[in-house]
Amino acid sequence: MMGSGNKKSGMEMSESAYKKMIERKKRLTKVRRWIATLLAAFCAVLFLMPIVLTVTNSFMAASEISSNYGQVFATSDSGGKTFISEKVNLKFIPDMVSFSQYITVLFKSPDYLFKFWNSVILVVPIVGFQLLVALLASYGFTRYRGRIKEIIFFTYIILMLMPYQVTLVPNYLVSSWLHILDTRWAIWLPGIFSPFAVYLLTKYMRRIPASVMEAAQIDGAGEWQIFRHICMPLCKGCMCSVAILIFIDYWNMVEQPLILLSDDSMHPLSVFLSKIKNGEIGLAFAVATIYMVPTLLVFLYGEDYLVEGITYQGGIKG
């Protein structure tokens, strides 16, 4: 009887110790989640501060913006930058809401809208035709393997790893040789044949099981039917992901138009934002806010496809 009582007490102690250990683990898990949540919230606020500052300051009057940030963009009599002896006042809430900057940008000065449409005309063809070229090239790299094709694909990777500043001078020389310098083709052609989309779509398309394509081929499907009815539907998420990344990349381009387009009337709005002058600070806030809208809309529209394109692991959905 004494032995059985000791066993029961020992089991009860072990069960209580086990419950305490489980509760301790749950507490540690909650603490870690709270720490991770606070850290993520801090990082989110830190990254969102410039965007919020830009949007709120776009509703400030020109005099208020000049008093807060005028010293940052002030120049000396010799044309150089002046030393900022006082602290810059970062204001998130304007003293009085003013729409004068937007009225100037949208109605009084058509140059800004003209440059906005320059950006659209330069970027949209690049996104569309780069996707078309990348889809055809990726299908070729996926379906037909060989030493020569692997060398070509490796060359694509090398070109993709190079920063565009390295290829800017060769692009200038080739554009001059083709007599397309100072035309939109000098921007379009290097963008359309960029290796970035080819690399991503090829790696994505190679995840499609070869047995699916072989089964379609046995059923009598040709290459165009396999490409159109199998590869393109399965690559829809990746295509949207690549389109978003291409759009954001070329929407913010500055160096290419400055080097390849000498006519200021052909420059996109991103070039104006890179050359802010004293007296145009308020307009720059309003223009930057308007300039952010297309990228936000593109991201919000293709967010689900972007996540799907990143998390896809291969296979066919039933």
Side-chain angles (χ1 to χ4, degrees), residues 81 103 108 111 116 118 176 180 213 237 250 272 286 293 300:
K81 293 293 182 180
I103 293 173
K108 291 184 179 179
D111 292 340
F116 177 87
N118 277 346
S176 178
I180 60 173
M213 300 184 188
Y250 285 94
F272 163 75
V293 172
L300 292 175

Side-chain angles (χ1 to χ4, degrees), residues 18 36 40 54 65 105 122 129 178 184 189 200 203 214 218-219 231 251 262 268 273 283 285 295:
Y18 179 74
T54 302
I65 291 174
V105 171
L122 288 174
F129 285 101
L178 293 174
R184 291 189 176 95
L189 287 181
L200 287 184
K203 301 300 289 184
E214 292 172 358
I218 292 171
D219 290 338
C231 292
W251 188 254
S262 59
L273 292 173
L283 292 177
F285 280 124
T295 54

Side-chain angles (χ1 to χ4, degrees), residues 130-150:
Q130 187 178 149
L131 272 178
L132 178 62
V133 171
L135 279 169
L136 296 173
S138 302
Y139 182 76
F141 283 128
T142 301
R143 288 285 287 160
Y144 305 102
R145 301 290 185 93
R147 186 179 297 274
I148 296 176
K149 290 183 176 61
E150 292 300 326

Side-chain angles (χ1 to χ4, degrees), residues 22-312:
I22 295 297
E23 290 178 359
R24 192 181 299 114
K25 285 184 178 181
K26 287 182 179 180
R27 289 174 185 173
L28 288 174
T29 303
K30 287 183 180 179
V31 171
R32 288 173 183 172
R33 286 179 180 175
W34 275 105
I35 293 173
T37 303
L38 291 175
L39 184 61
F42 174 76
C43 293
V45 170
L46 191 65
F47 284 112
L48 287 174
M49 275 181 62
I51 299 175
V52 175
L53 187 70
T54 302
V55 174
T56 56
N57 284 193
S58 65
F59 294 100
M60 285 184 181
S63 57
E64 186 178 356
I65 291 174
S66 180
S67 63
N68 290 327
Y69 310 109
Q71 293 184 356
V72 178
F73 301 94
T75 56
S76 61
D77 296 334
S78 60
K81 293 293 182 180
T82 59
F83 176 74
I84 301 175
S85 58
E86 299 179 5
K87 293 182 180 180
V88 177
N89 184 24
L90 293 177
K91 278 186 83 171
F92 287 91
I93 302 175
D95 294 335
M96 184 177 65
V97 176
S98 173
F99 295 93
S100 59
Q101 314 295 347
Y102 289 99
I103 293 173
T104 302
V105 171
L106 296 175
F107 301 106
K108 291 184 179 179
S109 182
D111 292 340
Y112 302 110
L113 288 180
F114 185 73
K115 290 182 182 295
F116 177 87
W117 287 112
N118 277 346
S119 300
V120 174
I121 293 170
L122 288 174
V123 174
V124 171
I126 292 176
V127 175
F129 285 101
Q130 187 178 149
L131 272 178
L132 178 62
V133 171
L135 279 169
L136 296 173
S138 302
Y139 182 76
F141 283 128
T142 301
R143 288 285 287 160
Y144 305 102
R145 301 290 185 93
R147 186 179 297 274
I148 296 176
K149 290 183 176 61
E150 292 300 326
I151 292 173
I152 296 173
F153 185 68
F154 181 74
T155 306
Y156 264 81
I157 297 174
I158 297 298
L159 291 173
M160 188 188 69
L161 294 176
M162 289 184 181
Y164 60 85
Q165 291 89 348
V166 175
T167 59
L168 200 55
V169 174
N171 285 338
Y172 179 88
L173 296 175
V174 172
S175 299
S176 178
W177 180 68
L178 293 174
H179 303 289
I180 60 173
L181 203 62
D182 298 328
T183 66
R184 291 189 176 95
W185 287 103
I187 304 294
W188 285 337
L189 287 181
I192 289 171
F193 296 100
S194 175
F196 173 72
V198 176
Y199 171 76
L200 287 184
L201 281 170
T202 301
K203 301 300 289 184
Y204 193 92
M205 204 174 289
R206 284 180 176 178
R207 296 178 181 179
I208 300 174
S211 58
V212 177
M213 300 184 188
E214 292 172 358
Q217 200 168 12
I218 292 171
D219 290 338
E223 295 294 340
W224 173 250
Q225 291 175 319
I226 294 173
F227 171 73
R228 184 180 176 184
H229 296 292
I230 295 177
C231 292
M232 285 191 65
L234 291 175
C235 292
K236 186 178 180 181
C238 185
M239 288 166 56
C240 292
S241 303
V242 171
I244 293 171
L245 296 175
I246 295 172
F247 181 85
I248 293 173
D249 185 23
Y250 285 94
W251 188 254
N252 297 317
M253 63 180 171
V254 174
E255 287 85 355
Q256 296 97 315
L258 284 175
I259 300 299
L260 301 173
L261 301 176
S262 59
D263 189 0
D264 291 344
S265 63
M266 300 178 68
H267 285 172
L269 198 56
S270 54
V271 175
F272 163 75
L273 292 173
S274 68
K275 298 188 296 184
I276 300 173
K277 298 178 182 178
N278 191 23
E280 296 179 339
I281 310 168
L283 292 177
F285 280 124
V287 172
T289 302
I290 295 172
Y291 203 59
M292 285 190 294
V293 172
T295 54
L296 291 174
L297 292 177
V298 167
F299 173 76
L300 292 175
Y301 176 77
E303 182 182 4
D304 294 336
Y305 294 114
L306 181 64
V307 174
E308 180 186 351
I310 294 172
T311 59
Y312 176 79

